Amino acid sequence: MTQRNDSHCSEVAVVTHRDKLLFRKTQNPRSVGDHSLDRMSSSGPGSLMEESEPLLTRRSKGRRPNGHCTWSTHSLDSKAVEDFRRRLKYFFMNPCEKYRARGRKPWKLMLQILKIFIITLQLVSFGLSNEMVATFKEDNLMTFKHLFLKGFKDHWHGSYTLYTKADMYDHIYHIINRYNDLENLTIGNLAYEKVDGKYTPLFVCSLFYRNSTINLERDTFYIDPHIDEDCVSISPVQSLDNIYLAKKINFSLDFKRLVSVNINFTLKTINLQTVRHHELPDCYGFHIKIIFDNRAHSGRIKVGVENDVTIYECRDYNMRGNSGKIDYLLLMLDSLVILACVTSLILCLRSVVKGIQLQFESNIFFHAYFNKLVTWSERMEFVKGWYIFIIISDTLTITGSVLKIGIQTKFLTNYDVCSIVLGTATMLVWIGFIQYLGYFKKYNILILTLRAAFPNVIRFCCCAAMIYLGYCFCGWIVLGPHHDKFRTLDKVTECLFSLINGDDMFATFLNMRDKSYMVWLFSRVYLYTFTSLFIYMVLSLFIALITDTYETIKHHQKDGEPASLLHAFIAECQDQPESG
């Protein structure tokens, strides 16, 4: 057994010596690696073993009684160890300490501060423009409802419904008549669409089952589920003498087979409110679809209006006081944002690559000099998550800025995608700046608490989600037929989440009073147990989990946090950053 342990220690010593040579070669490939190879070639193949004999002798003397070998610090190359320790300490310094140590200016810090201001300014300018677009769309949708839905009111919060055949025909004819006489009725800049010099017609399309025979007296029916579509086109008429043209059209509906009636037409307008902001107005195409929904065949036809908007550049324009087609100041701002984000992206990628390289060197170093492996948690400290955060933010900002330039130059019109990308990027930029506040101990408590509590919070949320989903499915299947807030699964999740936060609690209980006694009793047990469980237990445990982590972090900051192998090694360097 002793001979086996001796051979094991000698093998480890040889491997460790080779690792040292490998580590030195990574530090200085020519001066260390070539010199070692020259000595090996001149001394013969046995020179490596001869060099390792003194190291092996010293470590063999430090062998434990049970036969395992120990690692004496006297065998370490003190200069290489101290150089690498200082290198690690410099890597984990904050920008201010690096500036005091080497006079290196914190370019990434200054760039992030610049990015916050210019990206926020870019977002504000786009937000104001997007606000005008959204307001213009909503106002026109409300205009279309007043023009084409008979008897529509602004305060209408419920669904617009019809119950008789006469009302159905009356509303269809009303829409056709209003469409024909639109330019004499509207006070807005609405006009018909023209394609190749011809007006685009209005289409009245009825969707119905192919065959249907229903005999309610005998409780029998036959339905072919295939749906056919029959459309009637009506071109706009400009003469007032033809205002009742729709009544002359041979248009009839078989309500027993009817699934829905869709009325489609296109109108054009121009958004002139941007002129006040010295922006070139856009032309809009509104593709309007009025739906009479009879899919339920319950005697109640729901009426809805859908509006698909197309934004494009007007063909001919002449706006006085604006010599240019594009606001070049906004384009310069967008270009500056792209340039700053590209620079930030390159610097962060460079830092991530350097961290990965230093991670591998550290693993080789600790294995060569201490015969220890760096744990994965310690290795991940070299790849700073904040840099990954900034890289994602920069990528989104560049993409959003390109989309914004496309919108300003009228090549693109998708405001929604650009809003999502720019909004997310701006949020990440502001959150990413927290890393620089984290260099101050008094501001670092939030970051440390979130990072330490995150694993426990995820596990806790997974357990709580099982209970929450159970209540969601139960409420949907039991209370759905009797309560509007439980009618669909997404409404159930929203309702229960509101109950957890104490919102709309009385109205949820009140709407179940007129139901059957069994359902009423079940709803009371269901709602009381859910609110008691989640408000008094789950939320309290969740807050306690965060509070416990917060107290632990404060205790570590006061008494000193237990150091890992990596940080204990770095802490042995007592030199201050300004010592040089």
Side-chain angles (χ1 to χ4, degrees):
M1 180 65 70
T2 305
Q3 293 178 356
R4 184 178 179 181
N5 289 329
D6 291 341
S7 63
H8 173 69
C9 290
S10 62
E11 290 174 1
V12 173
V14 173
V15 173
T16 306
H17 190 71
R18 289 175 179 169
D19 288 339
K20 284 186 178 182
L21 294 178
L22 177 61
F23 172 73
R24 293 175 184 174
K25 189 173 182 179
T26 58
Q27 297 288 315
N28 193 349
R30 178 60 195 164
S31 61
V32 177
D34 295 349
H35 180 66
S36 301
L37 291 175
D38 293 340
R39 286 194 300 166
M40 289 176 63
S41 61
S42 61
S43 303
S47 60
L48 180 60
M49 292 297 297
E50 291 174 1
E51 289 186 10
S52 63
E53 283 180 359
L55 182 63
L56 175 60
T57 304
R58 287 191 292 270
R59 288 178 180 170
S60 299
K61 291 179 182 179
R63 192 180 297 112
R64 295 177 181 173
N66 59 3
H68 295 285
C69 53
T70 59
W71 307 93
S72 173
T73 57
H74 299 289
S75 63
L76 302 179
D77 190 342
S78 59
K79 186 177 185 305
V81 172
E82 288 301 321
D83 289 344
F84 194 72
R85 180 183 284 117
R86 287 187 172 90
R87 186 179 174 192
L88 288 176
K89 184 173 183 178
Y90 181 79
F91 178 80
F92 287 103
M93 285 181 180
N94 61 50
C96 297
E97 292 175 342
K98 289 182 179 180
Y99 177 74
R100 292 198 301 267
R102 291 187 179 179
R104 173 184 170 183
K105 294 181 175 59
W107 295 112
K108 286 196 291 290
L109 172 60
M110 293 187 291
L111 190 58
Q112 297 307 316
I113 296 175
L114 175 65
K115 278 173 50 183
I116 282 183
F117 286 104
I118 60 177
I119 290 177
T120 304
L121 182 61
Q122 179 196 44
L123 184 75
V124 170
S125 65
F126 179 75
L128 293 175
S129 177
N130 194 24
E131 180 183 356
M132 288 189 292
V133 173
T135 303
F136 189 71
K137 290 180 182 179
E138 292 177 357
D139 291 345
N140 277 274
L141 179 60
M142 186 61 65
T143 299
F144 298 145
K145 290 181 179 180
H146 276 276
L147 285 176
F148 299 108
L149 297 184
K150 189 175 182 179
F152 183 83
K153 303 296 181 182
D154 280 338
H155 59 273
W156 200 289
H157 296 295
S159 57
Y160 192 89
T161 55
L162 304 176
Y163 296 94
T164 64
K165 295 180 181 181
D167 287 341
M168 181 74 174
Y169 285 113
D170 190 25
H171 278 74
I172 293 176
Y173 294 151
H174 177 79
I175 294 171
I176 298 174
N177 290 330
R178 287 285 182 139
Y179 177 75
N180 285 329
D181 200 29
L182 178 65
E183 293 187 349
N184 295 323
L185 293 174
T186 181
I187 58 176
N189 296 318
L190 294 174
Y192 304 111
E193 182 187 42
K194 276 188 176 183
V195 177
D196 297 331
K198 297 181 179 179
Y199 288 111
T200 302
L202 175 145
F203 293 94
V204 181
C205 299
S206 58
L207 282 71
F208 49 87
Y209 294 116
R210 183 172 298 174
N211 291 310
S212 175
T213 302
I214 300 176
N215 192 336
L216 296 178
E217 295 178 355
R218 299 181 179 181
D219 296 331
T220 60
F221 66 91
Y222 169 76
I223 293 179
D224 185 349
H226 294 88
I227 295 179
D228 293 332
E229 183 177 10
D230 185 17
C231 293
V232 176
S233 62
I234 303 171
S235 298
V237 179
Q238 303 300 321
S239 175
L240 286 175
D241 297 335
N242 297 316
I243 193 171
Y244 296 104
L245 176 65
K247 293 185 178 180
K248 300 179 182 180
I249 299 175
N250 186 13
F251 184 76
S252 62
L253 299 173
D254 186 357
F255 287 92
K256 292 184 178 180
R257 295 191 299 145
L258 182 66
V259 177
S260 67
V261 175
N262 301 330
I263 301 179
N264 303 280
F265 56 92
T266 302
L267 298 176
K268 298 168 61 177
T269 187
I270 185 171
N271 186 5
L272 294 176
Q273 61 178 332
T274 58
V275 175
R276 294 182 287 110
H277 302 276
H278 304 286
E279 293 184 18
L280 193 65
D282 293 321
C283 288
Y284 286 70
F286 292 99
H287 307 282
I288 304 162
K289 184 177 183 180
I290 302 176
I291 304 172
F292 296 83
D293 188 3
N294 191 40
R295 289 175 297 177
H297 287 84
S298 60
R300 181 188 185 192
I301 297 179
K302 298 179 181 179
V303 184
V305 180
E306 295 181 359
N307 184 22
D308 187 17
V309 184
T310 302
I311 305 174
Y312 56 93
E313 183 182 4
C314 299
R315 296 180 181 177
D316 189 15
Y317 52 86
N318 185 7
M319 191 169 70
R320 192 174 179 183
N322 187 8
S323 58
K325 174 181 174 181
I326 304 169
D327 194 338
Y328 290 100
L329 290 178
L330 291 177
L331 288 181
M332 290 176 60
L333 176 62
D334 296 332
S335 302
L336 179 61
V337 169
I338 294 175
L339 178 62
C341 290
V342 169
T343 306
S344 173
L345 184 64
I346 294 173
L347 292 176
C348 291
L349 286 174
R350 174 174 166 267
S351 299
V352 170
V353 172
K354 282 189 173 182
I356 294 174
Q357 292 175 349
L358 189 59
Q359 176 197 104
F360 285 109
E361 293 180 18
S362 301
N363 195 34
I364 296 173
F365 172 83
F366 280 98
H367 182 67
Y369 285 91
F370 298 100
N371 194 27
K372 293 181 180 294
L373 295 177
V374 182
T375 61
W376 271 106
S377 60
E378 293 172 340
R379 294 177 69 175
M380 291 306 296
E381 294 187 29
F382 290 92
V383 184
K384 297 183 180 180
W386 289 111
Y387 288 152
I388 307 297
F389 206 76
I390 295 174
I391 289 172
I392 297 173
S393 170
D394 290 336
T395 304
L396 291 176
T397 304
I398 294 171
T399 305
S401 299
V402 173
L403 292 175
K404 182 173 180 289
I405 292 175
I407 291 174
Q408 289 176 351
T409 55
K410 311 305 178 186
F411 288 107
L412 299 174
T413 58
N414 199 332
Y415 279 82
D416 293 336
V417 175
C418 186
S419 301
I420 293 173
V421 174
L422 280 182
T424 306
T426 307
M427 179 185 67
L428 296 181
V429 166
W430 280 93
I431 295 176
F433 193 75
I434 296 178
Q435 66 159 327
Y436 298 104
L437 296 178
Y439 292 130
F440 304 96
K441 290 186 177 180
K442 293 184 178 180
Y443 295 94
N444 198 29
I445 188 69
L446 173 62
I447 303 172
L448 295 177
T449 303
L450 292 176
R451 184 172 61 184
F454 184 74
N456 292 330
V457 167
I458 293 298
R459 288 190 287 267
F460 181 85
C461 289
C462 290
C463 296
M466 300 297 104
I467 305 175
Y468 186 80
L469 290 176
Y471 270 91
C472 287
F473 287 115
C474 179
W476 175 44
I477 198 66
V478 178
L479 302 181
H482 308 281
H483 201 297
D484 290 337
K485 293 183 179 180
F486 293 84
R487 190 61 49 85
T488 60
L489 191 58
D490 59 329
K491 287 185 178 180
V492 176
T493 57
E494 295 169 0
C495 177
L496 294 184
F497 188 79
S498 299
L499 289 178
I500 293 176
N501 293 278
D503 297 335
D504 209 16
M505 189 174 294
F506 177 73
T508 305
F509 279 88
L510 183 65
N511 289 345
M512 293 299 301
R513 284 189 174 181
D514 298 331
K515 310 303 176 184
S516 65
Y517 178 75
M518 183 178 296
V519 175
W520 176 86
L521 182 62
F522 179 86
S523 68
R524 289 304 181 266
V525 175
Y526 174 86
L527 294 174
Y528 278 121
T529 55
F530 176 81
T531 53
S532 301
L533 179 63
F534 274 85
I535 293 178
Y536 302 119
M537 294 180 63
V538 175
L539 285 183
S540 299
L541 289 174
F542 184 82
I543 296 173
L545 186 65
I546 304 295
T547 305
D548 182 65
T549 306
Y550 175 76
E551 294 296 332
T552 303
I553 296 298
K554 286 183 62 178
H555 176 73
H556 287 168
Q557 285 188 337
K558 182 178 180 181
D559 300 335
E561 185 176 359
S564 61
L565 170 67
L566 178 64
H567 290 285
F569 174 76
I570 298 174
E572 294 181 12
C573 181
Q574 301 297 329
D575 298 334
Q576 297 299 321
E578 57 270 12
S579 65

